[in-house]
Amino acid sequence: MNKLPLIIKREYLAKVRNKSFVIMTFLSPILMVGMIVLIAYLTKINDNEKHVICILNESDYFSNVFLNTGSTSYVDFKNISLRQAKDSTASMGYYGLLYIPSGTNLEMVSANSYLFTKEVPSTLVLEKLEAIFEERLRQERLSEMGVSAAEFASIDESFDINTATFAGQQNIKGINEIKAVIGGGFGYLIMMFIIIYGGFVMRSVIEEKTSRIIEVIISSVKPFQLMLGKIIGTSLAGITQFAIWIVSAGVLLLIAFSILNIDLDALNGSGTASVPGVGSHMAPPVPMGDQTLQIYAQELFQIPWLMLISFFLVYFLLGYLIYSSIYAAIGAAVDNETDTQQFIFPIILPLMLAIYVGFFSVFSNPHGPIAVGFSLFPLTSPIVMLMRLPSGIGTGGVPIWELVTSILLLIITFIGIVWLAAKIYRVGILMYGKRPTYRELFKWLKY
C-alpha cells in the first residue's frame, strides 16, 4: 500500500491542473450567482408592479369594501354604461374592470358580477377579489340567520391541542417537518454532489483505458491499490472544487445583493399583501405570538448543529466514496461514455428513492420501520439518516446503535465495492471494442 499515496497525489494533481477544471472552478460560481441575482432582480421588478382595477358598482352591497393596497389600487366609475367603462379601462391601460350589476339579492348580484381583462387575469388578483365577495356574502348570510360577525368569529375560532413530552417539555406542531427539511437539505446536497462529481472517476478511468497508459501502470500496481487511489484522489479534487464554489458563491451573492439592494425575501415570495374586508378565517395566517416564536426559535437552537454538520461530513465522504467506486467499475467495463448509459440509471435510482421515500417516511414517522430501514441501507443511508439526525441522538432521537451500524455498514460496503470494482477493473481495463452486459460483468467477478 506504499504506492497508494503516490496514486492519490497523481490523480488529484492531474485533475486540479486540468485547464477545464480550473476554468469551471472559477466560472461556475459566477454563472450560478448571476442566475440567482437575475431571478431575484426580476422577481423584485415583478412584485413592484401595481394592478389598477376599475370598478363599476351599480349595487348597494359593496360600498367601501375595495380598499387600495400596496399591489392593487381601485378606480370607481360613476354614472356611465358598461360599454363606456370597458372602453375607458382599455384606453387608459388599466389592468381590468370589475362590473357589479344592480339587484335586490346579494347572491344574484354576486353571481352576475364579472371581471373584464385584456388577458387571462392573475390568480392572485382573482383570489383577492373573490375573498372580498366571499366575506360580503358571509356577512349577509350571518345577518339573515341573526348571527353577528363577532359571534361567528367566536364559533369559528380554531383550536390546537397542547402537547408535551413525558418530561414536561412543551412541543409545537410542525417542528418535526422543519427538522426533516433541514436534514433533507443536507441529503439533497449529497445527492447532487454524487450526480455531478460521480462521473469524474468514471471518465478518468475511461480516459486512461483509451490512451492505453493503464497497461503500463497496471504492471506495477495492484488493481485494488490503483482503484482506491483513483477514487480517493479524484474525490478530493471534486471536494476541493465544490468547497471553492460554496465559499466564492456565498461571497459573490452577498456582494451582489448589497450592491443591487435586493431583499433576500424576494426569492421566496414572502411578501404577501393582506386583503381588506376579509374575515378572520379568510385572512392570511396571523403572525405567531412572541411565546410561540420563542418556542420555535428554542427548538431550532436546540438542534445539535455541530453534531449534524460533523455527521454530514462523514456521510458525505462515505456516500460519495461508495458511489464513485461504482462509477469507477463502470468506467473500467466500457470503452466510451456512450456505453455507460445502461449502467447509470441503476446508480441514480437509490439516490432518488432515498430522497422521496426519506421525505415521505421521515416526515410522518422519523423512527418508523421504513425510515430506520432506509437509514441503515448503505446506498440510501447517507441521505435518509441525515433527515433523522436533526431530532438528536439517543433519547428521543436516533439510537446510537443505529448510527454506529449505519456508519459501519457504509465503511464495509465501500471496501466491498472497491474490491468488486477492482476485480472488474482487472479484467475490463484490458478489454477493448466490446460492450459488456450484466452477465459478463458477473463472470468477471469470478475471475
Side-chain angles (χ1 to χ4, degrees), residues 173-360:
K173 186 166 55 178
I175 193 64
N176 284 338
E177 287 77 5
I178 295 174
K179 291 179 178 180
V181 168
I182 293 172
F186 283 115
Y188 188 77
L189 188 62
I190 292 177
M191 185 188 76
M192 293 306 299
F193 186 87
I194 290 173
I195 293 175
I196 295 172
Y197 289 98
F200 267 33
V201 180
M202 182 179 67
R203 284 189 291 270
S204 176
V205 174
I206 294 176
E207 288 172 3
E208 289 186 347
K209 183 177 179 180
T210 54
S211 66
R212 301 296 180 90
I213 190 175
I214 197 65
E215 296 178 3
V216 179
I217 299 175
I218 202 70
S219 62
S220 59
V221 181
K222 293 181 180 180
F224 183 82
Q225 294 183 32
L226 186 59
M227 176 66 74
L228 187 60
K230 186 175 289 293
I231 292 170
I232 296 176
T234 308
S235 300
L236 289 175
I239 292 172
T240 300
Q241 186 180 60
F242 198 70
I244 295 174
W245 281 5
I246 292 176
V247 174
S248 57
V251 173
L252 288 174
L253 271 177
L254 291 176
I255 294 174
F257 284 158
S258 61
I259 292 176
L260 297 177
N261 194 25
I262 297 176
D263 188 359
L264 291 175
D265 290 338
L267 290 176
N268 55 32
S270 61
T272 56
S274 60
V275 181
V278 178
S280 59
H281 65 289
M282 286 299 299
V286 179
M288 292 181 291
D290 292 340
Q291 184 178 0
T292 306
L293 285 174
Q294 288 176 3
I295 296 174
Y296 270 101
Q298 184 178 2
E299 288 284 347
L300 291 177
F301 279 122
Q302 286 179 351
I303 292 177
W305 291 104
L306 182 59
M307 176 274 294
L308 186 61
I309 294 174
S310 300
F311 280 107
F312 164 72
L313 296 176
V314 172
Y315 281 100
F316 178 84
L317 291 173
L318 291 175
Y320 178 65
L321 288 174
I322 285 176
Y323 278 94
S324 61
S325 61
I326 299 175
Y327 275 104
I330 294 175
V334 300
D335 290 338
N336 52 72
E337 288 193 48
T338 304
D339 294 338
T340 64
Q341 300 306 312
Q342 61 176 325
F343 302 107
I344 295 299
F345 182 72
I347 298 177
I348 299 177
L349 187 60
L351 295 172
M352 298 171 60
L353 191 65
I355 287 291
Y356 292 109
V357 174
F359 268 114
F360 283 114

